[in-house]
Amino acid sequence: MNYKQQLEVVEGLFIPPDTQMRMDCPFCNNKNTLLVDTTTNNVSWYCFHASCSAKGKKNGEKTMDYVNVTFKKENVKISEEFKLPDSFKIVHSNNKALQYLHENNCWEACMWGRADIKYDVKQDRIVFLVKNPNDNKYAGAIGRGLNSKVYPKWYIYGNKDIPFKCGECKDAVIVEDCASACAVSNILTGIAIMGTSLKESHKKYLEPYETLYVALDRDATKKSYTIASELTSAGFKNVKVKVLHEYDLKCYGTPEIKEMFYGK
Ligand SMILES: [Zn+2]
């Protein structure tokens, strides 16, 4: 969210003047990580969670440098484990969420337990939980808005460095979003990078696979080649681009995915 959108949210909290308070962060939903300060005739806000970039200030002599110097993230240690917010309910509690799963070929992955999927009643999002492969604990979640007013369309809760993974197959495919990762997961391990560029932090999660396909959505084929060459330069010897000619991977069921990658 940009500064203006953040300011709107913070002003919507109706914090009285001359107050300094900690509260649950409305941007990352972590417990008690947001500091809001309305003293000295200003409104400033800052989230202490390492993975959240919420901060800003309105009306004042104090600059962003002041905010940065005064509230250092290093000084506050917050557990890496992501605690599921109370607003995460079972996915069956919402019809739009169920419909999304069916329409995007995620239902099977959800039913077989390959993906942990919830419904966030607070943000009206279908939420894919992200686990840390090192300790198998929740590290964060990725939510997709279920109505057009939910902004942004995709929202990352908690850790932003671990990609969403679905499935335990020997070959993996890098995809853009969680739904595509679920759709392929009976045939290949789906790894969603949430967008069209690979983060440095993603690379270590891509190592254990025999073949690593890159299959971003159809409109991003060029980006698939960019990612493949980045991985090859980083030492991966098993990377292949899978060009999608018609639809994104989330539009296909298991038999079609199988045929697409391994033939009949
Ligand atoms: Zn935050």
Side-chain angles (χ1 to χ4, degrees):
M1 273 190 212
N2 65 29
Y3 168 80
K4 207 173 147 230
Q5 291 159 333
Q6 287 189 28
L7 179 63
E8 248 171 57
V9 172
V10 172
E11 287 184 327
L13 301 169
F14 296 104
I15 315 268
D18 287 308
T19 308
Q20 268 195 324
M21 64 185 293
R22 291 281 289 260
M23 59 172 66
D24 297 350
C25 177
F27 305 101
C28 67
N29 284 322
N30 282 293
K31 287 254 183 283
N32 213 30
T33 57
L34 188 79
L35 179 73
V36 183
D37 185 344
T38 58
T39 58
T40 64
N41 213 17
N42 299 309
V43 184
S44 66
W45 64 96
Y46 187 88
C47 177
F48 289 94
H49 197 273
S51 65
C52 181
S53 56
K55 68 177 175 189
K57 185 168 166 54
K58 189 196 167 189
N59 290 337
E61 312 79 46
K62 289 177 190 168
T63 62
M64 282 311 295
D65 288 342
Y66 169 85
V67 177
N68 285 330
V69 170
T70 312
F71 314 118
K72 278 219 174 104
K73 289 201 189 216
E74 297 79 64
N75 295 340
V76 183
K77 288 256 185 293
I78 287 170
S79 153
E80 286 289 310
E81 188 179 349
F82 177 69
K83 297 264 182 293
L84 302 194
D86 296 338
S87 60
F88 284 16
K89 309 292 183 196
I90 59 165
V91 74
H92 298 80
S93 64
N94 184 273
N95 278 335
K96 278 180 297 177
L98 290 181
Q99 195 185 346
Y100 180 86
L101 292 182
H102 283 293
E103 286 174 359
N104 293 279
N105 291 295
C106 302
W107 182 248
E108 213 186 307
C110 181
M111 286 298 94
W112 286 100
R114 291 195 295 266
D116 254 336
I117 302 175
K118 304 275 185 203
Y119 171 67
D120 182 356
V121 64
K122 193 167 145 198
Q123 294 199 31
D124 194 22
R125 291 177 186 278
I126 185 158
V127 175
F128 300 79
L129 300 180
V130 177
K131 278 186 177 172
N132 185 337
N134 300 323
D135 57 14
N136 216 30
K137 286 181 179 163
Y138 294 125
I142 297 167
R144 187 196 187 276
L146 290 172
N147 75 67
S148 56
K149 293 190 190 94
V150 181
Y151 178 88
K153 186 165 139 192
W154 289 94
Y155 177 81
I156 305 182
Y157 308 73
N159 188 304
K160 292 172 176 57
D161 293 327
I162 303 176
F164 171 79
K165 184 191 96 163
C166 188
E168 299 291 341
C169 302
K170 66 179 173 44
D171 296 337
V173 55
I174 296 170
V175 298
E176 276 185 43
D177 61 53
C178 300
S180 291
C182 290
V184 302
S185 62
N186 207 15
I187 304 297
L188 301 115
T189 303
I191 298 175
I193 59 172
M194 299 318 297
T196 56
S197 48
L198 192 68
K199 282 186 174 181
E200 194 54 41
S201 65
H202 289 154
K203 287 180 187 160
K204 64 171 179 268
Y205 301 102
L206 305 174
E207 281 162 10
Y209 302 103
E210 274 182 31
T211 302
L212 194 52
Y213 293 95
V214 187
L216 302 184
D217 290 353
R218 188 174 61 101
D219 55 4
T221 301
K222 263 191 193 162
K223 291 277 194 173
S224 287
Y225 282 104
T226 308
I227 289 177
S229 69
E230 267 175 49
L231 287 169
T232 305
S233 334
F236 287 82
K237 294 186 169 58
N238 54 347
V239 186
K240 288 181 185 168
V241 171
K242 185 82 195 167
V243 176
L244 302 179
H245 293 288
E246 272 189 287
Y247 303 108
D248 305 341
L249 286 175
K250 55 183 170 281
C251 304
Y252 296 97
T254 291
E256 294 141 308
I257 298 279
K258 189 174 178 193
E259 191 183 326
M260 203 182 292
F261 284 86
Y262 298 111
K264 282 191 186 174

